Amino acid sequence: MDIKELLTPDFAITWLPWAVQYFFLIGLAYTSVWIAAIAVLWPGQRQQRLLTLCGSLIFSAAIVAPVALLADLHQPLRAWHFYMQLRPDSWMWFGAWLLPVFMGSGLLFGYLLLRPSLPTTATDRWSQLGCWLRFGRWSEKPLLKPVAVLAFLSACSIALYTGIETMAVQARPLWHSHWLPPLFAASALLAGSGMLVWLNFLFKGHNTNTDRYLLLWLRAAFTLFGLLLIGWALAGGKSAAEARMLLSHSPTWQLAAIWVLSTLAVLALLLATSRQPHWLLLLAGFAAVHLAWGFRWLVLIQAQTDPKYGAGTYFYELPWGPEGLLGILGTFGLWLALITLISELVRQTAMTQEGAA
Amino acid sequence: MDTSKRRLLGQIAAITAGAVFIPLAEADGDSTPTKGKRYGMLIDLRRCVGCQACTVACTIENQPPLGQFRTTVNQYEVTEGDNSAFMMLPRLCNHCENPPCIPVCPTGATFQRQDGIVVVNNDWCVGCGYCVQACPYDARFLNHETNTADKCTFCAHRLDAGLLPACVETCVGEARIIGDLNDPDSRISQLLTQHRNDIKVLRPSMGTQPRVFYLGMNQAFAERIRGEAPVRTLMTASGKELHHGH
Ligand code: SF4
Ligand code: SF4
């Protein structure tokens, strides 16, 4: 018996590109907390350059991510409603509590990481602001380790809740898989280390040791992501079956698969090269960031075009306005402004360190 | 519908009868509270002509924005061999006994009334859309005008005033029957008992225990449709066609 749909309504997506921005930016924040915390806690790994870069990324991403999340609520001014009752069955409700804790611990950790790089003497306006942000003369050293532990745990809670919140939706077979949370986390780690490679290049005082260290992270994250993806494809149950079904008839999904596979192949080649010229590493960093963002786009936006009852796929066309392109560019713009500001504040110490070296 | 087509539908129903029929008892579950009213709807597909009068009546009664619907009638062409026939499938919120849209809600804005009707408190909803993702029927949407979750309410405001839902009131074939499932003498309860073996619900595998029942539905429509997609058109808010395709 053949069934042909003649008349069924189209269905607009509900989670907008803001959600992709949130998942992407919060991924940058929690993975840079991981990288920095491990560097702080692991004996012999502490490298001020890496810590400064992580601090900048944590600080900027952890501030912009919640803005994107708030924008994805269609009634952002009602966000306080989350806190007015107990909803222990809802992972989103847990997230509403875990996120502010992460903002607190992550931003404090980021600040402690950045503080040694803030200027000590005021020579111009920027350095004056930097001096002022040191909040007096005290040493952050004794605080660093306990705050690192706290921020690390809090970062884990964010990785956990963002993953499970999505995985919990049984009505979307593509999401309802245990492979999804670790895939989100591994791709976030890819994006985090890739972005740090770029910050190392863009912030004054490029350090090749930091590059070498970040390359290790990139390779580890890539291997993890690749293995998880293979695991999902082979043992992903209904989630993988749904993806195969979509691949069999939807040109958009076929294109997506080609994109994922070719990005993975390029990244594998770039990371496998043993003697990495700097530009190759930068390219790998870019590919990693690109893969992680695109993965979130596929999972969060494109998966919503998969009808729950009907055949085929729904339409989605990226709108120009705040609910589409403008929202994406706006969040990136805000993040860029913040990270530029931070880079200006830590610039002078990079210069003096360079002079001293 | 001409007689040959009607006969085909009958044959299709006969072929798939028996093992594939989900007995009402199974679709029903056992968690319906025995006290008080429990609203449910029975849709007799044999009587539905696909006129969309319910779609229009609902739109006028509940005023959803352009392009968003609380109920619609899906239309399908079913072919077997050389014969083909049309199949009409009215769709709405199932007011599930075990609704996955409720536990996910982070604010408690969506809830189930004592009489089983699942509703949204639009003054409390933050528009996070989590319930829309969780509903396995695409029965919910975020209303573009109120920016909160929206869906069929069985016209609770009309029921409370002693009226029938707009769709039931207007249905030309009297295909939609609403009533109290806990009252054994209600028309819906009697019809459900009478057609016990031919009652189906949508997507029983999701464990939602829908309280919208279908009479005369082929098993091929019970779970997700496997078939050819329609030509879907993407329109702007002003009704301008942007794009269409399969
Ligand atoms: S059909 Fe969807 S919206 Fe309606 S009660 Fe069931 S899960 Fe909730
Ligand atoms: S959109 Fe509204 S009703 Fe739905 S889960 Fe969010 S707050 Fe609850």
Side-chain angles (χ1 to χ4, degrees), chain A residues 171 308, chain B residues 38 91-102 110 112 116-120 131-132 134-141 150-152 208-212:
Chain A
K308 290 169 180 161
Chain B
R38 203 318 174 185
R91 296 286 315 276
L92 67 159
C93 166
N94 291 291
H95 299 277
C96 307
E97 194 55 40
N98 182 24
C101 56
I102 292 182
T110 193
Q112 192 154 29
I117 300 179
V118 176
V119 285
V120 181
C131 57
V132 180
C135 166
Y137 301 95
D138 279 344
R140 284 177 174 250
F141 55 90
D150 200 331
K151 63 185 264 303
C152 155
T208 53
Q209 299 180 31
R211 287 297 178 265
V212 170

Side-chain angles (χ1 to χ4, degrees), chain B residues 101 104-107 109-110 120 124-132 140 142 149:
Chain B
C101 56
V104 296
C105 176
T107 64
T110 193
V120 181
W124 195 249
C125 168
V126 294
C128 69
Y130 205 11
C131 57
V132 180
R140 284 177 174 250
L142 273 178

Side-chain angles (χ1 to χ4, degrees), chain A residues 269-307:
Chain A
L269 272 177
L270 289 174
L271 291 177
T273 337
S274 55
R275 286 177 56 84
Q276 288 256 357
H278 188 225
W279 65 270
L280 259 189
L281 182 66
L282 284 176
L283 210 61
F286 178 76
V289 171
H290 171 76
L291 182 67
W293 192 88
F295 178 70
R296 276 153 185 71
W297 183 270
L298 286 185
V299 172
L300 295 170
I301 301 294
Q302 200 160 317
Q304 291 185 71
T305 64
D306 184 18

Side-chain angles (χ1 to χ4, degrees), chain B:
Chain B
M1 206 188 310
D2 64 31
T3 39
S4 67
K5 283 178 183 162
R6 207 175 299 145
R7 210 177 308 128
L8 170 76
L9 269 189
Q11 281 167 356
I12 292 171
I15 292 164
T16 50
V20 288
F21 277 153
I22 300 189
L24 175 57
E26 198 181 298
D28 200 16
D30 49 11
S31 52
T32 303
T34 42
K35 272 183 261 142
K37 261 197 170 111
R38 203 318 174 185
Y39 280 112
M41 189 182 279
L42 173 67
I43 302 182
D44 188 345
L45 296 183
R46 303 166 310 178
R47 298 174 138 259
C48 175
V49 293
C51 67
Q52 307 282 1
C54 49
T55 313
V56 176
C58 174
T59 300
I60 289 170
E61 176 71 28
N62 297 301
Q63 304 278 317
L66 184 73
Q68 297 190 302
F69 304 95
R70 289 184 175 191
T71 187
T72 56
V73 183
N74 290 1
Q75 305 189 352
Y76 305 91
E77 189 181 74
V78 180
T79 313
E80 198 162 55
D82 292 338
N83 293 324
S84 61
F86 291 113
M87 151 83 185
M88 313 298 166
L89 186 68
R91 296 286 315 276
L92 67 159
C93 166
N94 291 291
H95 299 277
C96 307
E97 194 55 40
N98 182 24
C101 56
I102 292 182
V104 296
C105 176
T107 64
T110 193
F111 63 97
Q112 192 154 29
R113 306 192 334 169
Q114 285 286 312
D115 55 11
I117 300 179
V118 176
V119 285
V120 181
N121 176 349
N122 288 87
D123 293 328
W124 195 249
C125 168
V126 294
C128 69
Y130 205 11
C131 57
V132 180
Q133 306 291 3
C135 166
Y137 301 95
D138 279 344
R140 284 177 174 250
F141 55 90
L142 273 178
N143 183 311
H144 292 329
E145 280 161 14
T146 65
N147 282 320
T148 52
D150 200 331
K151 63 185 264 303
C152 155
T153 60
F154 270 171
C155 278
H157 59 292
R158 290 176 61 95
L159 286 174
D160 291 345
L163 300 167
L164 287 172
C167 59
V168 175
E169 191 83 79
T170 196
C171 179
V172 294
E174 287 182 32
R176 295 186 183 225
I177 296 115
I178 194 164
D180 181 5
L181 298 172
N182 285 344
D183 173 5
D185 297 328
S186 66
R187 185 151 167 249
I188 185 167
S189 296
Q190 291 187 339
L191 283 167
L192 286 173
T193 319
Q194 187 187 337
H195 299 281
R196 197 173 169 79
N197 293 327
D198 193 20
I199 299 289
K200 289 198 190 63
V201 294
L202 292 178
R203 307 201 67 186
S205 66
M206 297 303 292
T208 53
Q209 299 180 31
R211 287 297 178 265
V212 170
F213 305 95
Y214 291 91
L215 176 56
M217 185 171 77
N218 186 277
Q219 179 62 21
F221 288 86
E223 287 300 331
R224 201 179 148 181
I225 302 284
R226 300 284 171 209
E228 196 181 312
V231 177
R232 290 199 170 100
T233 308
L234 193 68
M235 287 205 248
T236 62
S238 58
K240 189 172 141 276
E241 189 171 303
L242 284 175
H243 188 50
H244 69 86
H246 288 282

Side-chain angles (χ1 to χ4, degrees), chain A residues 48 111-122 127-140 345 349 353:
Chain A
Q48 190 48 46
Y111 172 71
L112 294 182
L113 294 174
L114 282 174
R115 193 168 177 273
S117 304
L118 290 174
T120 42
T121 46
S127 51
Q128 203 171 6
L129 179 65
C131 283
W132 181 76
L133 284 172
R134 285 180 152 264
F135 296 114
R137 296 171 67 85
W138 48 279
S139 168
E140 64 280 325
L345 288 174
T349 26
Q353 274 167 4

